[in-house]
């Protein structure tokens, strides 16, 4: 085990652990935000630069600081490393910059966006952004492209985190979508207007941190805070069958994977469970799901007053995080 | 005349062909290395030579070679970086076009030293005609027993392949180059792992610039110690400089490192001075990404020391008052140059070429370009100037690969040294709106009038 100190808090981790994951072991406010890293996807991370931290001492052996800020999601911890996250003004300044960059081509149309209430960019902007932008130029727009009967792509909202690309690459067998073009002209798309159709394609919706990929079977049916997330399961021959169903009364509005406190699914689920099983009788409902930390719902202390008998260790994290 | 090592025979008629090249002493370094030296001996000579990579960063080549994972049982690769897309840089092209066998010879010796049996030349797609030249040279070398199986009876096998790129500047960055060579989108990889451990097809890989690899030939021929005697300090040997802009004799020149900048720009042997009737305003000494220097800081450092064409001297003063030798793309600008327009043009390039993986570069380069477009066309405001400096600061050092820095440095340095010209664009919008070139000479006079 090796020691690392993050914002003054010391912890011990396995060699090879990244700074971000070491911070997640500690939990709380010193966990850097992550828009592109996704622990369930191999090779993800490093792109959005929201998780930048300052390494004030490289290791016990070589206590020199690292010259540049580093991406905590892809930098392994060294024994005796000292890291500054929110205690470094330089980090906060850089992160403010990243938020400003990300919001250039992400419209603040939260009131009409289906991701409102579950959006990581909302939280990031709230915690690390500034209320004003200095950007005065024209923003980019896109024609809407239909990429299949169940998934809607709103390219204007995409922050090019590549998570959906990794997902399609790693858990579906026929990847037809990826990144086209370069720079700020880059876009998620299917090569020559294809459709995304395979048993696990719906997972791109779950991994998308913003409202760029949305579930057509749920779109505009309700705001998320009006539906109740319940842990549920069914026998499924394609996936684990363990999901969160979002209900209003007895009606199932949508089905998603179960997510942990960092908004990452525990298990990817199949399209049958996600899109086809929309009757309460399709599911064995276990009880209310915990509310994610990064969710406006958490602001309402949703869990208070509700008896939670969902499995204790799944998706909870620190109580203080909520 | 200064000593030439790479371009010594450039004017020999027919030097492009194997026979003439060989008759002029070509491929001697292959014979020497394969017959009398071990791969480690070759590396030792390269280390002794003090050769620094000619692709831009100037990292010591011998040291880079020594990082290659030799314990791995995977194949090892040498990749020659012939992407050459930095604006202002056109020296590799010259070498490959006019004396292709020099590169092939350097590749054989280097591949032998690194234990690579398959070596790639990744060449900028726009250099299509050079692909044919190189392939012809490779075929000739193979026909004469310098490539293929059991070269010169040494038991060493080597094949060299030429791979044209799709035409993206980012594919010159070594990890993006590797991705592209693997047939994927040319996005830079996260480091670590470094290519020396896991590069092409996850195998140990060295990526070197064309000129770097060609320089291995004279190093082996003359010995590393002899080579190291040329040049100055840690800038050893000779360097190709592609010189362009407002000078009398633009072209590709081989210089001994340590040549005074004054001599390089003004002597008839090299650039022949700023175009007649004009005066020097600024120089970008190492390709468009390195910081610009106003004439006074180009000739002399802030401390008043005369500058030399060397890695150390050009970077003297750090980014506050210095620049970099970079890839040797030397761009001179006379007093007719509009600095704002120049910067807009550079920034347009980096915006267009950003791969788009990381947010500061993807969004920041486009933003800077738009603000500069406004300033250049007379729609800017004073706060735009500070805004640009701040955007550049937020990009620099915060990106996956150095393209972000390459986009930020010109912005920071153009404004640092020529701020009043940016202010002029704000104060006299009518002057700049329709005549991008005519106004730059007036700006000092106009500004003074206003300030009085
Ligand atoms: C955006 C970018 C573009 C680059 N383009 C080139 C290039 O066109 N040619 C080149 O030799 N090196 C280029 N480089 C540098 C390479 O990454 C690498 O450092 C170099 O090829 C190493 O060769 P050397 O050690 O022989 O200098 C580029 C780097 C960056 C960041
Ligand atoms: S669509 Fe969503 S998941 Fe895919 S790259 Fe864009 S923001 Fe990321
Ligand atoms: S700095 Fe620019 S070019 Fe380099 S990886 Fe990031 S977006 Fe791509
Ligand atoms: S989460 Fe680390 S760079 Fe995106």
């Amino acid at each position: 085990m090796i020691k690392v100190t993050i914002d003054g808090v010391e912890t011990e981790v396995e060699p090879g652990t990244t700074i971000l994951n070491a911070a997640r072991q500690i939990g709380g406010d010193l966990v850097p935000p992550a828009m592109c890293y996704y622990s369930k996807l191999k090779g993800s991370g490093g792109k959005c630069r929201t998780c930048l931290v300052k390494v004030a001492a490289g290791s016990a052996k070589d206590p020199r600081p690292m010259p540049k800020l580093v991406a905590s999601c892809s930098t392994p911890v060294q024994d005796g490393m000292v890291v500054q996250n929110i205690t470094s003004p330089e980090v906060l300044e850089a992160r403010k910059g990243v938020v400003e960059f990300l919001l250039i081509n992400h419209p603040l149309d939260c009131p009409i966006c289906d991701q409102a209430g579950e959006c990581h960019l909302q939280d990031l902007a709230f915690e690390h952004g500034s209320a004003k932008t200095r950007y005065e130029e024209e923003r980019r727009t896109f024609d809407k492209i239909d990429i299949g009967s169940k998934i809607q792509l709103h390219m204007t909202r995409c922050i090019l985190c590549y998570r959906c690309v990794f997902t399609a690459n790693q858990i579906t067998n026929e990847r037809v979508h990826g990144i086209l073009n370069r720079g700020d002209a880059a876009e998620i798309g299917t090569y020559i207007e294809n459709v995304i159709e395979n048993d696990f394609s719906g997972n791109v919706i779950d991994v998308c941190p913003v409202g760029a990929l949305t579930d057509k079977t749920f779109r505009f049916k309700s705001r998320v805070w009006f539906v109740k997330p319940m842990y549920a399961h069914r026998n499924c021959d394609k996936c684990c069958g363990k999901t969160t169903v979002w209900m209003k009364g007895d009606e199932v509005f949508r089905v998603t994977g179960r997510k942990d406190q960092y908004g990452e699914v525990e298990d990817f689920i199949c399209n049958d469970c996600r899109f086809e099983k929309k009757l309460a009788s399709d599911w064995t409902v276990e009880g209310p799901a915990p509310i994610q930390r990064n969710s406006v719902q958490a602001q309402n202390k949703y869990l208070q007053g509700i008896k939670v008998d969902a499995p204790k260790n799944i998706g909870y994290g620190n109580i203080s995080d909520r | 005349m200064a000593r030439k090592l790479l371009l010594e025979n450039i004017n020999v008629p027919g030097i492009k062909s194997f026979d003439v090249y060989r008759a002029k002493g070509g491929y001697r370094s292959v014979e020497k290395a394969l017959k009398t030296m071990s791969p480690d001996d070759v590396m030792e000579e390269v280390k002794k030579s003090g050769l620094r990579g000619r692709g831009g960063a100037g990292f010591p080549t011998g040291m880079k070679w020594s990082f290659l994972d030799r314990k791995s049982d995977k194949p090892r690769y040498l990749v020659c970086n012939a992407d050459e897309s930095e604006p202002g840089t056109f020296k590799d092209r010259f070498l490959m076009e006019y004396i292709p066998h020099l590169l092939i010879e350097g590749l054989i010796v280097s591949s032998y030293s690194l234990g690579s049996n398959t070596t790639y030349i990744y060449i900028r797609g726009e250099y299509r005609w050079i692909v044919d030249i190189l392939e012809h040279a490779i075929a000739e070398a193979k026909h004469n027993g310098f490539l293929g199986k059991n070269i010169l009876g040494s038991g060493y096998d080597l094949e060299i392949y030429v791979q044209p790129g799709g035409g993206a500047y980012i594919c010159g960055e070594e990890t993006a180059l590797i991705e592209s060579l693997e047939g994927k989108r040319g996005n830079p990889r996260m480091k670590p792992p470094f290519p020396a451990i896991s590069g092409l097809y996850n195998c140990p890989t060295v990526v070197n610039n064309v000129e770097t690899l060609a320089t291995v030939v004279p190093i082996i021929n003359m010995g590393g110690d002899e080579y190291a005697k040329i040049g100055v300090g840690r800038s050893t040997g000779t360097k190709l400089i592609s010189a362009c802009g407002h000078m009398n004799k633009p072209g590709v020149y081989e210089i001994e490192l340590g040549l005074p900048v004054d001599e390089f720009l003004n002597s008839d042997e090299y650039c022949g001075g700023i175009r007649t009737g004009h005066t020097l305003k600024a120089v970008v000494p190492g390709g468009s990404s390195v910081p610009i220097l106003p004439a006074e800081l180009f000739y002399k450092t802030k401390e008043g020391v005369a500058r030399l064409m060397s890695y150390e001297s050009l970077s003297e003063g750090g980014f506050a008052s210095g620049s970099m030798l970079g890839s040797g793309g030397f761009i001179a600008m006379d007093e007719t140059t509009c600095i704002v327009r120049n910067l807009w043009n550079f920034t347009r390039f980096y915006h267009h070429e950003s791969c788009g993986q990381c947010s500061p570069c993807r969004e920041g380069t486009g933003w800077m370009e738009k603000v500069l477009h406004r300033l250049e066309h007379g729609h800017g405001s004073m706060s735009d100037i500070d805004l640009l400096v701040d955007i550049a600061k937020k990009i620099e050092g915060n990106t996956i690969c150095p393209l972000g820095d390459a986009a930020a440095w010109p912005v920071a340095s153009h404004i640092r040294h020529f701020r009043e010209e940016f202010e002029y664009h704000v104060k006299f919008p009518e002057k700049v709106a329709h005549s991008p070139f005519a106004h730059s000479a007036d700006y000092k006079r106009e500004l003074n009038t206003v300030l009085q």
Side-chain angles (χ1 to χ4, degrees):
Chain A
M1 297 293 269
I2 53 179
K3 268 196 195 127
V4 53
T5 309
I6 303 173
D7 282 349
V9 183
E10 197 180 274
T11 188
E12 289 204 337
V13 297
E14 296 281 342
T17 308
T18 58
I19 298 173
L20 179 71
N21 279 327
R24 284 184 173 186
Q25 283 185 22
I26 302 172
D29 286 344
L30 51 72
V31 183
M35 299 296 293
C36 70
Y37 171 77
Y38 204 81
S39 60
K40 310 298 186 300
L41 296 170
K42 247 179 72 194
S44 66
K47 302 187 193 310
C48 68
R49 317 308 279 180
T50 58
C51 70
L52 291 173
V53 292
K54 179 154 186 65
V55 176
S59 65
K61 261 200 227 132
D62 182 359
R64 283 176 304 173
M66 290 189 180
K68 295 198 265 181
L69 302 184
V70 300
S72 59
C73 66
S74 49
T75 308
V77 165
Q78 305 282 328
D79 196 21
M81 188 184 259
V82 178
V83 177
Q84 294 174 341
N85 177 42
I86 47 176
T87 50
S88 157
E90 205 186 325
V91 167
L92 295 181
E93 188 62 17
R95 231 173 249 168
K96 201 163 137 190
V98 172
V99 175
E100 193 175 24
F101 288 136
L102 285 175
L103 290 180
I104 285 180
N105 283 314
H106 181 95
L108 290 181
D109 60 355
C110 314
I112 56 147
C113 174
D114 235 34
Q115 191 85 354
E118 302 182 306
C119 174
H120 294 216
L121 189 55
Q122 266 182 340
D123 300 323
L124 179 72
F126 181 71
E127 282 163 20
H128 291 282
S130 116
K132 263 172 62 186
T133 178
R134 296 172 294 175
Y135 191 81
E136 297 171 13
E137 331 296 324
E138 204 172 307
R139 288 156 205 268
R140 64 181 195 164
T141 52
F142 290 91
D143 290 336
K144 287 202 179 77
I145 298 177
D146 214 344
I147 56 169
S149 59
K150 300 289 196 293
I151 307 167
Q152 176 82 55
L153 169 64
H154 280 257
M155 198 38 230
T156 39
R157 298 190 186 124
C158 171
I159 57 158
L160 291 160
C161 70
Y162 284 58
R163 280 181 181 178
C164 60
V165 179
F166 281 107
T167 306
N169 242 348
Q170 290 170 25
I171 68 162
T172 73
N173 49 9
E174 283 166 36
R175 178 188 148 197
V176 293
H177 94 290
I179 301 229
L180 311 172
N181 304 325
R182 273 200 303 257
D184 58 2
E187 59 179 287
I188 291 289
T190 53
Y191 187 55
I192 319 195
E193 304 206 2
N194 220 324
V195 293
I196 300 183
E197 264 175 339
N198 60 62
D199 286 346
F200 285 83
S201 63
N203 289 295
V204 299
I205 302 167
D206 275 354
V207 301
C208 185
V210 293
L213 288 162
T214 51
D215 177 347
K216 276 192 177 175
T217 67
F218 175 62
R219 278 166 58 77
F220 305 131
K221 295 232 167 83
S222 175
R223 308 308 328 220
V224 284
W225 52 89
F226 293 134
V227 283
K228 283 187 199 152
M230 309 289 270
Y231 275 171
H233 64 263
R234 62 179 280 271
N235 280 333
C236 179
D237 51 8
K238 287 190 184 141
C239 70
C240 64
K242 287 186 190 162
T243 64
T244 301
V245 296
W246 299 71
M247 305 181 74
K248 208 183 274 183
D250 274 347
E251 218 181 322
V252 174
F253 272 66
R254 76 163 174 177
V255 182
T256 65
R258 293 186 186 179
K259 293 186 182 178
D260 65 16
Q261 59 173 323
Y262 299 107
E264 298 177 7
V265 296
E266 287 157 23
D267 261 317
F268 292 108
I269 61 168
C270 71
N271 283 4
D272 277 359
C273 287
R274 183 187 306 274
F275 298 126
E276 311 297 342
K277 305 294 169 192
K278 290 294 179 71
L279 297 174
S281 57
D282 290 329
W283 297 99
T284 309
V285 176
E286 297 164 18
I291 300 299
Q292 290 166 38
R293 177 181 88 109
N294 39 11
S295 159
V296 287
Q297 295 170 322
Q299 307 303 320
N300 296 336
K301 307 274 186 294
Y302 183 81
L303 280 181
Q304 283 175 9
I306 297 177
K307 187 171 176 301
V308 182
D309 34 28
K312 277 280 175 301
N313 294 325
I314 300 177
Y316 265 77
N318 283 327
I319 291 291
S320 63
D321 284 357
R322 259 178 263 137
Chain B
M1 283 287 276
R3 184 150 175 197
K4 304 270 181 279
L5 300 177
L6 301 174
L7 305 186
E8 196 181 358
N9 293 321
I10 199 79
N11 291 323
V12 174
I15 194 71
K16 243 187 212 179
S17 76
F18 179 87
D19 293 339
V20 177
Y21 182 78
R22 180 86 173 121
K24 278 300 204 178
Y27 288 99
R28 264 189 303 134
S29 72
V30 177
E31 289 174 307
K32 183 171 173 185
L34 268 59
K35 289 183 178 162
T36 69
M37 298 167 83
S38 71
D40 283 349
D41 294 341
V42 175
M43 187 171 75
E44 272 315 304
E45 292 306 316
V46 173
K47 274 191 181 161
K48 279 193 228 158
S49 74
L51 173 66
R52 296 169 65 165
R54 305 303 196 211
F59 192 80
T61 306
M63 200 190 296
K64 188 167 183 173
W65 288 12
S66 68
F67 293 153
L68 188 75
D69 182 3
R70 279 154 220 270
K71 287 196 272 328
S72 155
D73 50 9
K74 293 181 180 168
R76 292 174 220 151
Y77 292 107
L78 171 65
V79 179
C80 169
N81 189 345
D83 194 61
E84 189 165 67
S85 309
E86 175 88 347
T89 309
F90 46 91
K91 52 157 187 121
D92 295 339
R93 150 191 180 162
F94 186 82
L95 207 146
M96 292 186 286
E97 184 171 354
Y98 295 106
I99 185 159
H101 281 286
L102 185 65
L103 174 61
I104 307 302
E105 182 178 352
L107 279 174
I108 300 169
V109 177
S110 307
S111 304
Y112 169 70
S113 177
L114 294 165
S116 165
N117 300 108
T118 309
T119 288
Y120 295 95
I121 303 173
Y122 183 91
I123 186 166
R124 175 176 177 177
E126 290 88 339
Y127 287 172
R128 183 62 241 183
W129 78 100
I130 302 180
V131 173
D132 298 337
I133 294 174
L134 289 174
E135 281 181 340
H136 184 72
I138 289 168
E140 281 185 318
K142 193 162 179 175
H143 181 75
N144 287 282
F146 283 93
L147 278 174
K149 289 247 172 275
N150 193 17
I151 300 170
L152 305 180
S154 64
Y156 175 62
D157 307 335
L158 175 66
E159 294 294 342
I160 299 178
Y161 299 99
V162 185
Q163 176 62 50
Y169 168 67
I170 191 59
C171 290
E173 193 281 332
E174 58 182 10
T175 59
L177 186 157
I178 289 171
E179 286 280 295
S180 174
L181 198 50
E182 288 180 2
K184 296 186 247 161
R185 195 185 146 90
N187 281 357
R189 292 180 181 171
M190 233 72 67
K191 296 191 244 183
F194 288 89
I197 309 297
S198 176
L200 186 63
Y201 307 121
N202 297 329
C203 298
T205 304
V206 166
V207 180
N208 273 135
N209 172 260
V210 168
E211 185 190 345
T212 311
L213 292 162
T215 305
V216 171
V217 174
I219 289 173
I220 295 306
N221 282 337
M222 67 201 290
D225 286 331
E226 273 308 299
Y227 184 88
K229 287 183 191 157
I230 308 167
V232 56
R234 291 199 302 120
S235 301
T236 60
T238 66
K239 170 97 188 78
L240 297 182
I241 305 286
S242 57
C244 63
H246 296 145
M247 58 184 62
N248 285 319
K249 289 168 55 192
V252 177
Y253 297 101
E254 182 171 6
I255 61 159
E256 286 184 27
L257 285 165
L259 180 78
V261 294
D262 185 18
E263 195 178 330
F264 180 67
L265 180 57
N266 295 314
S267 76
D268 275 343
E269 190 180 345
Y270 301 107
C271 308
I274 286 300
R275 67 178 170 154
T276 313
H278 294 272
T279 53
L280 180 69
K281 181 171 181 176
V283 170
V284 174
S288 64
S289 63
V290 309
I292 192 171
L293 291 174
E296 58 280 12
L297 282 175
F298 166 67
Y299 283 120
K300 287 198 170 120
T301 65
K302 200 159 167 249
E303 273 65 51
V305 182
R307 269 207 218 270
L308 310 176
M309 297 290 285
S310 76
Y311 291 95
E312 288 78 19
S313 177
L314 283 171
S315 59
E316 190 76 43
F319 281 0
S321 63
S323 183
M324 288 164 83
L325 180 66
S327 57
F330 185 97
I331 309 169
M333 300 171 214
D334 69 20
E335 83 290 350
T336 64
T337 310
C338 170
I339 291 293
V340 182
R341 190 174 187 85
N342 186 64
L343 180 59
W344 171 45
N345 206 25
F346 281 2
T347 306
R348 220 151 49 102
F349 174 80
Y350 292 108
H351 172 208
H352 186 260
E353 297 301 322
S354 162
C355 86
Q357 267 192 111
C358 52
S359 358
C361 170
R362 180 182 65 238
E363 307 294 347
T365 49
W367 191 2
M368 293 195 299
E369 194 216 311
K370 287 175 189 155
V371 175
L372 279 162
H373 179 276
R374 268 197 283 129
L375 275 168
E376 166 58 16
H377 293 87
H379 310 299
S381 64
M382 284 297 175
S383 61
D384 281 341
I385 304 170
D386 291 324
L387 175 63
L388 279 171
V389 175
D390 192 59
I391 302 172
K393 203 162 79 195
K394 295 235 158 74
I395 298 173
E396 189 191 339
N398 291 342
T399 52
I400 297 176
C401 88
L403 190 141
D405 302 335
W409 292 337
V411 173
S413 60
H414 277 65
I415 298 179
R416 181 182 307 124
H417 297 305
F418 296 95
R419 183 179 266 269
E420 51 181 26
E421 199 163 328
F422 287 81
E423 293 177 357
Y424 173 84
H425 277 244
V426 176
K427 288 183 182 151
F428 299 97
E430 72 285 357
K431 290 266 182 204
V432 296
H434 305 295
S435 60
F437 296 110
H439 60 273
S440 47
D442 309 333
Y443 84 95
K444 274 215 161 106
R445 183 167 43 77
E446 301 261 13
L447 263 185
N448 287 338
T449 327
V450 169
L451 294 175
Q452 270 157 21

